[in-house]
Amino acid sequence: MFGAIEAGGTKFVCAVGDKGGTIIDRIKIPTTVPEETMTEVFAFFKKYELDAIGIGSFGPIDVNPESPTYGMITSTPKLAWRNFPFVQALQDAFSVPIGFNTDVNAAALGEAVYGAAKGLDSCLYITVGTGIGAGAVVQGRLLQGLSHPEMGHILVRRHPNDEYQGKCPYHGDCLEGLAAGPAIEERWGHKGFELVERLEVWDVEGYYIAQALMQYILILSPKRIILGGGVMNQKQVFSSIYKYLPELVQGYVSLPDLREYIVSPGLGDDAGITGSLLLAQQAFNGE
Ligand code: ADP
Ligand code: ZN
């Protein structure tokens, strides 16, 4: 039996599942401070005999096993969680192997094994929500270098009609600063779901995401691209991406049918937790 944690900025999802990725039990816990949230996490897992635990966490996190701060959440704006030794805390409580990666890498893994990229050895999973982040499976493995990728903070060209200054505390008008949920809200003065009828909102949104996808495609050449997160509930954004991406790429690389290439998560909201279960399995197998 494996344990899984999808650690998000507003809530934690914990689950217990089997080798086949079937979830047997799950719980949602609000993300407050580590002392509180982790007490509930421990209580949930104590009911089971676990072989390993996988964590897909909000970040940035330290995923380099050679680093002295491996397994910690690092420079998060959520101050109570800064420098929280996530892996150590679970190892102390359960003495089992712990898999640790980003929430989006976990989701990419879940989608590659059981979801919209099942059977493919490469995919990209992007979330457009409170922030923008992406995880990549490349040649069957999660992409990792010095640290995990941070694809949400790339620079994009301005939409000619967009004068919004951007919301990223580090870069202002990077992709996340221009296109994550809070940027949409601040630029247009309403919550995303209140802007459904405003076509220009989703046109601009798709313009920025299409640019990002072009860069990811040129650099990684993923076999499928999966777009999740709250903002992608607005299906018009997909239409806008399908319109802009070919205009940007200009036929330089040939792309598959975009409606099959750029899709919603096959696992819906369960991509992250299912992927975290797979991280547990990988940790158990010593991968
Ligand atoms: P998180 O990124 O915190 O895990 P979500 O993926 O749900 O959570 O993203 C939340 C963001 O998505 C918010 O900025 C919210 O305004 C936006 N959002 C959620 N639902 C919708 C929707 N139906 N239409 C447009 N924007 C939405
Ligand atoms: Zn940024």
Side-chain angles (χ1 to χ4, degrees), residues 152-153 168 170-172 174 176-177:
H153 294 263
C168 175
Y170 291 88
H171 319 111
C174 66
E176 176 174 300

Side-chain angles (χ1 to χ4, degrees), residues 5-158:
I5 304 174
E6 185 189 12
T10 45
K11 67 173 192 303
F12 274 40
V13 179
C14 297
V16 168
D18 65 17
K19 266 207 314 235
T22 306
I23 292 169
I24 294 155
D25 190 8
R26 72 163 80 201
I27 187 176
K28 276 185 199 172
I29 300 164
T31 310
T32 56
V33 294
E35 300 74 47
E36 252 174 44
T37 305
M38 294 308 291
T39 305
E40 292 190 53
V41 170
F42 294 155
F44 173 73
F45 285 134
K46 285 277 184 221
K47 296 185 283 178
Y48 297 94
E49 193 123 328
L50 298 178
D51 296 308
I53 299 172
I55 307 167
S57 176
F58 71 92
I61 59 177
D62 188 340
V63 292
N64 174 7
E66 310 295 315
S67 156
T69 52
Y70 170 73
M72 291 171 88
I73 295 180
T74 56
S75 51
T76 172
K78 293 186 82 69
L79 292 181
W81 292 86
R82 199 172 277 184
N83 302 322
F84 174 64
F86 214 150
V87 168
Q88 191 66 52
L90 282 155
Q91 231 152 27
D92 289 349
F94 298 99
S95 308
V96 294
I98 311 289
F100 186 57
N101 221 307
T102 60
D103 44 6
V104 278
N105 262 341
L109 187 61
E111 286 292 321
V113 177
Y114 295 115
K118 191 172 165 178
L120 301 178
D121 66 356
S122 102
C123 76
L124 192 62
Y125 177 94
I126 303 157
T127 180
V128 187
T130 307
I132 298 183
V137 173
V138 176
Q139 294 177 319
R141 297 187 61 85
L142 286 172
L143 182 63
Q144 183 166 323
L146 270 180
S147 181
H148 53 80
E150 280 287 358
M151 297 188 226
H153 294 263
I154 62 170
L155 301 179
V156 288
R157 231 183 244 164
R158 281 286 178 152

Side-chain angles (χ1 to χ4, degrees), residues 129-130 181-182 192-193 202 229-231 233-234:
T130 307
F193 66 86
W202 311 111
V231 172
N233 287 317
Q234 297 297 330

Side-chain angles (χ1 to χ4, degrees), residues 90-258:
L90 282 155
Q91 231 152 27
D92 289 349
F94 298 99
S95 308
V96 294
I98 311 289
F100 186 57
N101 221 307
T102 60
D103 44 6
V104 278
N105 262 341
L109 187 61
E111 286 292 321
V113 177
Y114 295 115
K118 191 172 165 178
L120 301 178
D121 66 356
S122 102
C123 76
L124 192 62
Y125 177 94
I126 303 157
T127 180
V128 187
T130 307
I132 298 183
V137 173
V138 176
Q139 294 177 319
R141 297 187 61 85
L142 286 172
L143 182 63
Q144 183 166 323
L146 270 180
S147 181
H148 53 80
E150 280 287 358
M151 297 188 226
H153 294 263
I154 62 170
L155 301 179
V156 288
R157 231 183 244 164
R158 281 286 178 152
H159 189 283
N161 301 336
D162 185 20
E163 285 172 9
Y164 174 60
Q165 73 277 13
K167 208 173 169 53
C168 175
Y170 291 88
H171 319 111
D173 62 353
C174 66
L175 176 69
E176 176 174 300
L178 290 172
I184 298 173
E185 195 176 324
E186 190 169 79
R187 180 193 288 107
W188 304 98
H190 294 277
K191 296 256 179 221
F193 66 86
E194 296 166 343
L195 294 162
V196 181
E197 311 292 333
R198 299 273 301 273
L199 298 184
E200 71 273 27
V201 172
W202 311 111
D203 185 74
V204 170
E205 184 68 11
Y207 180 76
Y208 288 128
I209 297 175
Q211 288 187 61
L213 296 191
M214 170 169 169
Q215 298 177 53
Y216 305 150
I217 289 166
L218 293 174
I219 294 168
L220 293 173
S221 197
K223 292 182 180 168
R224 188 146 297 152
I225 296 176
I226 298 146
L227 284 165
V231 172
M232 295 313 297
N233 287 317
Q234 297 297 330
K235 297 300 171 201
Q236 307 101 297
V237 182
F238 281 94
S239 314
S240 175
I241 293 167
Y242 298 150
K243 178 183 82 172
Y244 281 119
L245 185 59
E247 288 178 14
L248 290 162
V249 173
Q250 284 293 321
Y252 181 67
V253 286
S254 61
L255 297 173
D257 177 353
L258 293 186

